[in-house]
Amino acid sequence: MNKPLTNIHMHIFTSECAPPNFLRVQTSFLLKVLAPLLKPLVERDSVRRFLSRANWLLNLFGRANRHKIGRYIGFMDVASQYTEADIFRIALKAAKTHDPQPRLVALTLDMDHMDNCSEPVVNYQTQLARALHLKKLYPDTLFPFISADPRSRGGGELVRYVRPYFETGVKSHLKEGILPYCSGIKLYPAQGFFPFDPRLEELYRYAEAGGIPLIFHCTRVGSQYLGNNIEALIPPEPEMIMPVAGNPGQAEALAAKEEIHARIARYRAKGWIRNNTMGVNDNACDLFSHPQNYVPVLLKFPNLKICLAHMGGSTEVSYMDPDLADEKGRKASGHRRYRRLQETWKTDGHNWARLIRDLMVTHPNLYTDLSYTVADLDSGLVRTNIMRWLATTDLNHRELSERILFGTDFFLAEAEKGEPTLYQLILNTLPHHLHQLTRENPERFLQKTAAAV
Ligand SMILES: [Zn+2]
C-alpha cells in the first residue's frame, strides 16, 4: 500500500486561541512585563511591519531580546493574519511539493487553563469545532488530534468526552469508508499538570485499548503555565498513576517516583516553584514535562503509543552525548547561558534528549518526533546526535529510527525557519531515512486512527 508523506506535528489554531498574556512564554523578563500590552499590538499587521523595520527601536531591547522579538513577529505573522483554513493551506502547499496527497496532523491545544488570570478570546471547544469543520473539507489530508487537560475533565468523564471524536467521522473522498474526526490525543503538561495525574488513567486505558496515539509536548520551557498559582499545582509528592503490585516494572516505577519527588524538593529549595504574577514559571513547568514522568505510565500501559515530541528540544540534543558535550561545553563555558544550562541539568539530574532515547530503548511503544528540532538540523552537533539516535538499537535489536516521526511544528517553528525550508532540511540531511521517518513510521503510529473504515 502506498504510504503518504505525513507531517505528524503541526498546528492550525489562531492567536485568538491563546490567552492575552501568551507572550510571557518568552524567557525574557522585560517581555513578560510588557506581554499583556504587546500581544494586541503585535496582532496588528501594521505594527508588525513597523517593528520589522524599526531597528533603532528593537536595539533598545538588547541583542538577545531583539532576536526573540523578531522571532515572535514571524510567528505572529502566521498566527494573527490568517484563519485556521489559511494557516492549514500554507502548510499543505509546502507538503504538496513532496507528495500530491500528503497527510497533516493538526494538534489542537487546550489553552483554557494556561493562565488563571486571563482567558483566550476563542476557547478550546470553539478551536476544536473549527478544526473539525476543516476536517470535513479535507477528510483525507487533515488529521486533527483532540487536546486533553485533566483540569477540564478527568476519569470516565474525559473518556466520554473524547470517545465520539474517535467513533464518528467523515466520509473519505478517496476511498469507501469513514475517517474518524480525530486521530489521536495531544497533551501539553507544561501548561500545569503531570502526565502521571490519576485523572488521566481512564483516558490512557481507553487509548491503549483502541490503539489511539498520544503526543505530549516535551521540551524545557515552551508554552508553559502563566498563572499566579504554581505552588498549588506542584505539591511535594503529587499523586501518581502506578503499575499494580506484582507488575515486573514495579521497582522501576518506584525508583522513578522517588527521583521525581527528590527533584521537586530540589526545585523548591532553589526557589524555582514560587507564586508570582509575571508568569515566571519556566523552571517549575519543566517538572510537568519531564520525560521521567512517563515511566510509571509506560509500565502500567505497555501497549499505549506515546510520542514525546521534539526529542527534548535541540539544546538538549546538542548536549546529549557526554563526549561531544564536554568539548562544546568547554567552548561555551564562559557564557552565562551555558552556566544557566549547567545549573538546570544539575538540579534536574537529566539531559532530556538522552533520557528520552534511553527510555525508547526499553519501552517499545515510545516514539519521538523531529518537530521544531528539525530547524536545527543544519547544526553539526544536532545532526550528529540525531544520526546516532536513529542508529541506536532497542532491547529487541530494532533501530530506534523505526520510532522517530517527521514533523515540523508549523507554525510555531516559523519563529525559526519557514515550512519549505524545514522540508528541505530533512531532505538534505537525512536522505537515507526519509521514507522511514516521513511515511513508514507515521503510518504505524496512526495505523488504527487514520484509515477509512
Ligand atoms: Zn507543537
Side-chain angles (χ1 to χ4, degrees), residues 140-305:
D140 302 280
T141 316
L142 175 67
F143 293 83
F145 271 37
I146 191 167
S147 187
D149 186 315
R151 291 165 296 178
S152 293
R153 48 186 82 69
E157 192 195 349
L158 177 53
V159 174
R160 282 192 295 280
Y161 166 73
V162 300
R163 191 192 294 268
Y165 298 103
F166 294 102
E167 297 180 3
T168 57
V170 279
K171 248 172 89 67
S172 165
H173 291 173
L174 298 175
K175 298 178 193 140
E176 281 295 307
I178 303 287
L179 289 151
Y181 279 115
C182 290
S183 299
I185 304 166
K186 169 70 190 273
L187 295 102
Y188 209 118
Q191 301 217 341
F193 63 89
F194 289 101
F196 52 63
D197 190 317
R199 290 173 291 181
L200 295 169
E201 181 155 351
E202 285 301 309
L203 181 77
Y204 295 156
R205 192 165 291 120
Y206 170 71
E208 186 184 46
I212 296 168
L214 308 181
I215 295 183
F216 291 84
H217 175 91
C218 193
T219 64
R220 297 186 191 277
V221 201
S223 0
Q224 79 275 15
Y225 172 73
L226 298 171
N228 64 5
N229 203 18
I230 187 75
E231 290 172 26
L233 297 175
I234 310 180
E237 299 192 350
E239 266 195 82
M240 199 176 283
I241 292 172
M242 286 298 276
V244 282
N247 180 309
Q250 187 75 7
E252 192 186 341
L254 284 171
K257 183 178 182 171
E258 230 169 82
E259 253 199 75
I260 291 164
H261 290 172
R263 181 175 306 114
I264 293 175
R266 288 195 299 273
Y267 273 54
R268 205 170 282 278
K270 279 258 173 198
W272 285 353
I273 311 171
R274 206 171 269 168
N275 285 348
N276 67 90
T277 53
M278 278 301 139
V280 186
N281 302 320
D282 311 42
N283 286 317
C285 288
D286 289 355
L287 292 170
F288 297 124
S289 301
H290 205 287
Q292 195 168 35
N293 294 342
Y294 297 89
V295 171
V297 177
L298 290 162
L299 290 165
K300 183 148 200 177
F301 301 101
N303 295 315
L304 185 61
K305 271 191 246 178

Side-chain angles (χ1 to χ4, degrees), residues 9-11 107 109 186 188 217 309-310 371-372 409-410 412:
H9 189 139
M10 50 85 73
H11 305 280
L107 308 177
L109 188 49
K186 169 70 190 273
Y188 209 118
H217 175 91
H310 316 299
S371 67
Y372 210 103
D409 212 2
F410 181 80
L412 303 187

Side-chain angles (χ1 to χ4, degrees), residues 77-88:
D77 259 339
V78 176
S80 54
Q81 72 174 321
Y82 302 106
T83 64
E84 284 84 353
D86 293 329
I87 294 177
F88 171 68

